[in-house]
Amino acid sequence: MATFAQEDVFEPLSQYDEQYTAPGDEVGRGASGVVRRATRKSDGLPVAVKTMDLRALRLAGGGGFSIARLRREVDVLRSLRHPAIVRLYGAYGDQDTVLLVMELVEGRELFDAILSRGKFDEPSARNIFSKLCQAVAYMHARNIIHRDVKPENVLVSSDEPPRVTLIDFGLSKALLEEGDEEAFPLLATSVGKTFVGTPCYLAPEIEAIHQGGADAPRSYGVAVDAWSLGAVV
């Protein structure tokens, strides 16, 4: 069972209680937790709080949950500040519960927007895609790959033009270069090798690594997100 070491990325739950109100109205839920609205006490800022019951996730077993992966997600998100990337304000936890305090982003998934509209006209699609590319380029300039870029992980607001926000960094990874260890202390490897992502948006090199063979690549880099962006278009 994973433990919360003193040097962990998670602050004590008591600090959450000091800084934020109790989570209230539900705004969404997924396999790993429930997202509810809360407020930052210091300035009244509305936030989204994802509550994760680690006991239930451990019991569920094969759902792919990993404390190590969650720590990596927090480590990556703390390093990113971009208008088209969801912001993490804080991470709090103990042995049984984790609270991730995120920016409260209004809008819906790009996937749902596509279904409801049927299609986007070229100017609207170009605007959304340009903002998404800017977010991915910002990550890649910092040697970070998302590894799950898809319409379900992009939020678009109802504004015109819409605000575009890339979310769900659970599969993200920092590709460390020499000297980067202090910036990402929880990320130990320098190349991508794991078979992760969503099939329709998966880059060929990830598939090739999974299939193996003498000619299969041994690793991949930030280009896998570029393939996923193309699939989104």
Side-chain angles (χ1 to χ4, degrees), residues 4-214:
F4 283 71
Q6 198 169 29
E7 68 274 17
D8 214 328
V9 298
F10 300 100
E11 300 175 67
L13 288 175
S14 59
Q15 291 192 23
Y16 172 89
D17 295 332
E18 294 173 3
Q19 299 173 39
Y20 298 94
T21 62
D25 294 339
E26 181 176 324
V27 297
R29 64 173 56 228
S32 60
V34 179
V35 181
R36 300 181 185 276
R37 291 177 183 265
T39 302
R40 189 162 63 190
K41 294 179 180 179
S42 62
D43 57 5
L45 177 73
V47 296
V49 180
K50 183 176 184 178
T51 302
M52 307 176 69
D53 184 343
L54 302 187
R55 296 166 298 182
L57 290 169
R58 292 187 191 108
L59 286 173
F65 172 74
S66 162
I67 283 289
R69 180 181 291 175
L70 180 58
R71 288 188 176 109
R72 288 196 297 269
E73 178 182 2
V74 169
D75 208 30
V76 165
L77 274 173
R78 277 185 170 153
S79 74
L80 300 176
R81 291 290 184 275
H82 190 276
I85 294 176
V86 67
R87 183 171 179 181
L88 176 72
Y89 293 123
Y92 308 83
D94 60 16
Q95 296 289 346
D96 298 324
T97 305
V98 163
L99 301 179
L100 299 182
V101 182
M102 315 284 292
E103 174 186 10
L104 180 61
V105 181
E106 302 291 351
R108 58 178 173 171
E109 294 178 2
L110 177 58
F111 182 81
D112 292 330
I114 294 171
L115 288 180
S116 66
R117 294 178 58 151
K119 64 178 181 179
F120 282 85
D121 58 48
E122 185 173 337
S124 298
R126 182 168 58 244
N127 178 274
I128 293 171
F129 189 65
S130 174
K131 292 174 180 176
L132 183 55
C133 285
Q134 290 172 33
V136 173
Y138 168 85
M139 292 168 48
H140 289 180
R142 287 152 181 78
N143 290 322
I144 295 172
I145 50 178
H146 188 278
R147 299 199 293 186
D148 202 19
V149 176
K150 58 184 180 180
E152 294 90 332
N153 286 339
V154 179
L155 297 180
V156 292
S157 71
S158 59
D159 305 317
E160 284 296 339
R163 181 188 174 187
V164 177
T165 309
L166 182 61
I167 63 171
D168 197 343
F169 282 71
L171 299 181
S172 63
K173 181 180 181 65
L175 306 179
L176 301 190
E177 296 180 345
E178 187 174 354
D180 284 345
E181 291 78 6
E182 290 186 6
F184 295 97
L186 302 179
L187 306 174
T189 57
S190 59
V191 296
K193 297 181 179 180
T194 311
F195 182 69
V196 294
T198 301
C200 291
Y201 305 93
L202 213 56
E205 53 265 49
I206 299 180
E207 291 273 14
I209 289 175
H210 177 62
Q211 293 172 5

